[in-house]
Amino acid sequence: MNHYIDIRLRPDPEFPGAMLMRALYNKLHRALFDLNANDIGVSFPEYKLGVQARTLGEQLRLHGSRQRLEQLMESEWLTGMRDHVTLSNVQAVPEGATHVAVKRRQFNTGSESRAKRYAKRHDVSLEEARQLYAAPASRRIELPFVQVNSRSSQQRFCLFIDHGKPQNDPVQGTFNHYGLSRHATVPWF
């Protein structure tokens, strides 16, 4: 994780930033899946928490080795997005950068389909199951998310992203096809 590329969304009067970030992140997921990459991580330097303020921001940072990042960029995964983004060159991570784990968080959101499944599996009425799921449904999630389409399962879901606390020492490990890891860290600056 000694190099990075910044991808910044350009302002667009027709498309909100969240929509462009969703399209960009879905394209990245497809590229990482197709390359079977487990050595490229992501971070969102403009990431904000809070029910009202949560956002991934307008910038996506890719982390990896120079060679791997160049290989990703040669794959033309940005086709259709180039007019909407500004790219940096592959750059070395600044000296003294801290590190964070950027990972997926899953929440029980109390959806209607979960209540139906629960009712069927536990032989209770749908109304009982809805009452059980009412508390999780009322919880307000403060993490930003992006809606993605899984390349492997073809399912669409909300991917909640959590940037851990900055730490001084990097943690080595692998990343999934969303550029996230439970334990491995990426530089944070």
Side-chain angles (χ1 to χ4, degrees):
M1 296 288 135
N2 52 1
H3 286 80
Y4 72 98
I5 296 174
D6 278 336
I7 304 173
R8 177 165 288 288
L9 298 176
R10 291 182 179 153
D12 191 308
E14 295 180 33
F15 302 106
M19 180 184 288
L20 291 173
M21 183 58 77
R22 180 177 68 220
L24 177 65
Y25 199 69
N26 273 287
K27 284 183 169 289
L28 175 64
H29 166 59
R30 287 192 296 276
L32 294 176
F33 182 87
D34 292 347
L35 287 172
N36 198 23
N38 67 355
D39 55 352
I40 295 176
V42 301
S43 67
F44 299 87
E46 298 174 353
Y47 170 91
K48 288 188 177 79
L49 295 172
V51 174
Q52 299 298 318
R54 68 182 176 185
T55 179
L56 293 173
E58 308 283 313
Q59 185 176 351
L60 170 63
R61 183 170 286 157
L62 306 177
H63 303 269
S65 68
R66 174 181 288 280
Q67 179 184 9
R68 193 61 156 156
L69 292 174
E70 287 173 348
Q71 180 186 19
L72 172 66
M73 298 314 285
E74 288 169 3
S75 72
E76 297 188 23
W77 66 277
L78 282 171
T79 301
M81 287 295 299
R82 291 217 182 254
D83 291 343
H84 301 285
V85 299
T86 303
L87 298 170
S88 75
N89 294 321
V90 176
Q91 299 176 56
V93 170
E95 292 280 328
T98 59
H99 297 81
V100 297
V102 182
K103 58 188 162 200
R104 176 183 183 188
R105 291 279 310 274
Q106 291 180 277
F107 296 94
N108 179 355
T109 56
S111 69
E112 181 71 10
S113 61
R114 285 181 183 249
K116 286 179 183 177
R117 272 197 316 271
Y118 184 89
K120 187 174 183 179
R121 275 195 311 241
H122 294 80
D123 198 29
V124 298
S125 72
L126 182 56
E127 192 52 42
E128 263 184 281
R130 283 184 183 138
Q131 287 175 357
L132 287 169
Y133 278 90
S138 67
R139 181 175 54 185
R140 311 227 33 199
I141 300 168
E142 296 187 356
L143 291 176
F145 67 93
V146 63
Q147 198 171 63
V148 293
N149 299 313
S150 171
R151 186 80 161 178
S152 57
S153 71
Q154 307 304 315
Q155 298 293 314
R156 175 180 235 158
F157 63 95
C158 290
L159 180 65
F160 289 90
I161 298 176
D162 187 14
H163 284 62
K165 292 190 182 343
Q167 56 193 53
N168 291 327
D169 298 320
V171 176
Q172 301 299 315
T174 59
F175 295 85
N176 63 21
H177 293 147
Y178 297 100
L180 306 173
S181 177
R182 284 190 162 162
H183 306 290
T185 60
V186 295
W188 184 246
F189 51 95

